[in-house]
Amino acid sequence: MKNPALAPRVIRFGVFEFSPQTGELRKHGLKVKFEPQASKILLVLLEYPGKICTRQELQQHLWQDNTLVDFERSLYKGIHTLRGTLGDSAIAPRYIETVTGRGYRFIPIPQEPSKLSGGRRNGGKVGSVAVLPFASESADAEMELLNRRIVERVIDTISRTPGVRVLAYNTVQHHRGKDLDFRRLGENLLVDAIAAGEMIRHNDELLLHVELIDVSNGSQLWGEQFKEHYSDVLEEPETLADKICDRLRPILVRTANSRRNERSRHTQRNQAGGAFRVCDGTNNKVTASSQSGLESGASVFRAKRQ
């Protein structure tokens, strides 16, 4: 009996869309070449996200009892092919995790867009960020230059945001690829979050997926897909870069506002403390700030007596 989770026509995870009915996989909306056996394995794993699917369970689902096959070798090949298609890594998995001696597990991806787009759960304090060059399968020099111009523009723009520290392009230019361990990289770079993505060109269409990752737990704080005409972006990459910054700024600005509010509260407490010191007789000198506090307090006292 199939799990109710398979009722929807399409299952979405990360930048992928998978159809259980047809076994079709799409990435950024584009159909991906997918081997049938790898598709069957993904279907089984998606039936029970977060739960370990043992080798025995996989064997029952994928190979009938009367099928003559080298099961272990076929399963290993299928998992290897699946990871290659998803751009996943056995060492630092984002989708398919190997549970040693037991089987495999599909790593659940949080689907809380309303909460994630609002920032981190600890108050939205993203005080430092690294914007990495986008991963790309193309080795074209023109695409490489375009990649750099967009990322540099994003870094330059974010660097002007008060209260936010962003790493320079020269610091992050060598950190790119699909298999990065963002949590470990964040610790090495000493940042709260990492902005990373993948850029794909299809004829005159440029597909760019960008996400902001919380390095403390690996969760996605924000993610969005951009679909533009390649010729337009090539002519004016700043326009696409500014779109990315417009999405990032609300999360990053919250940090600056939080710090300003904290400084304001701290100043108010100090001013109030000055007024009380005069009132309790420990300081006979009345400063301008304490005088203001006294006058305010006296007004309240007189109002109560009347």
Side-chain angles (χ1 to χ4, degrees):
M1 181 177 177
K2 297 295 183 182
N3 189 291
L6 290 179
R9 186 176 63 84
V10 172
I11 299 175
R12 294 180 174 84
F13 57 97
V15 299
F16 295 98
E17 296 177 353
F18 179 72
S19 170
Q21 291 76 19
T22 64
E24 185 179 271
L25 181 70
R26 290 183 176 271
K27 181 179 182 181
H28 297 296
L30 299 177
K31 188 174 180 179
V32 177
K33 187 178 180 181
F34 206 22
E35 291 190 6
Q37 200 63 33
S39 175
K40 292 178 182 178
I41 294 174
L42 179 60
L43 176 59
V44 174
L45 294 175
L46 285 173
E47 285 184 335
Y48 309 100
K51 295 183 179 180
I52 300 172
C53 190
T54 66
R55 287 179 168 80
Q56 291 73 22
E57 290 171 335
L58 284 167
Q59 186 174 20
Q60 291 172 6
H61 280 84
L62 304 176
W63 289 275
Q64 301 299 323
D65 293 336
N66 58 353
T67 302
L68 297 177
V69 65
D70 185 341
F71 166 68
E72 289 293 337
R73 183 177 179 181
S74 297
L75 178 59
Y76 174 80
K77 182 181 178 181
I79 291 291
H80 180 76
T81 301
L82 176 58
R83 283 188 171 129
T85 303
L86 300 178
D88 205 6
S89 166
I91 299 175
R94 298 185 66 187
Y95 302 117
I96 311 299
E97 178 186 12
T98 300
V99 182
T100 305
R102 299 184 64 185
Y104 300 91
R105 183 178 78 98
F106 183 83
I107 302 173
I109 299 175
Q111 299 293 326
E112 301 175 287
S114 59
K115 293 182 181 179
L116 295 176
S117 60
R120 304 172 84 189
R121 294 178 181 176
N122 64 354
K125 296 183 178 180
V126 181
S128 53
V129 61
V131 183
L132 306 186
F134 305 125
S136 175
E137 295 178 355
S138 173
D140 183 69
E142 187 177 77
M143 278 276 286
E144 182 64 24
L145 178 60
L146 187 62
N147 191 336
R148 176 167 183 156
R149 289 184 64 186
I150 295 172
V151 173
E152 285 184 332
R153 171 78 171 196
V154 172
I155 291 174
D156 290 344
T157 303
I158 293 178
S159 68
R160 294 192 289 271
T161 303
V164 178
R165 178 176 64 87
V166 57
L167 299 189
Y169 182 84
N170 288 339
T171 304
V172 301
Q173 61 179 323
H174 300 300
H175 299 290
R176 66 169 71 193
K178 301 177 183 178
D179 300 330
L180 294 176
D181 184 339
F182 292 110
R183 298 180 67 176
R184 182 174 299 176
L185 181 59
E187 292 177 358
N188 294 337
L189 295 176
L190 301 177
V191 293
D192 296 328
I194 289 177
E198 184 176 7
M199 188 164 65
I200 299 173
R201 179 186 178 184
H202 181 68
N203 298 325
D204 190 49
E205 192 173 73
L206 185 70
L207 301 173
L208 176 62
H209 175 259
V210 188
E211 58 184 344
L212 185 67
I213 302 165
D214 184 339
V215 301
S216 67
N217 55 25
S219 65
Q220 185 190 63
L221 302 175
W222 162 81
E224 189 167 336
Q225 295 185 31
F226 299 87
K227 188 176 181 180
E228 309 285 341
H229 289 294
Y230 179 78
S231 54
D232 293 341
V233 178
L234 187 62
E235 183 178 348
E236 201 170 340
E238 294 79 12
T239 301
L240 178 55
D242 290 345
K243 286 183 181 179
I244 298 170
C245 290
D246 288 343
R247 307 300 195 275
L248 283 172
R249 191 174 288 111
I251 301 175
L252 304 177
V253 167
R254 187 173 291 108
T255 303
N257 291 339
S258 298
R259 291 179 178 178
R260 280 196 293 269
N261 292 338
E262 181 61 31
R263 285 197 296 268
S264 176
R265 288 193 294 269
H266 182 70
T267 301
Q268 291 172 1
R269 285 196 297 268
N270 287 343
Q271 290 175 345
F276 285 120
R277 283 196 297 272
V278 175
C279 291
D280 66 10
T282 59
N283 186 349
N284 292 325
K285 183 178 179 180
V286 179
T287 64
S289 61
S290 60
Q291 179 67 42
S292 175
L294 278 171
E295 289 173 355
S296 176
S299 298
V300 175
F301 180 75
R302 284 195 296 271
K304 288 184 177 181
R305 292 193 63 185
Q306 293 173 356

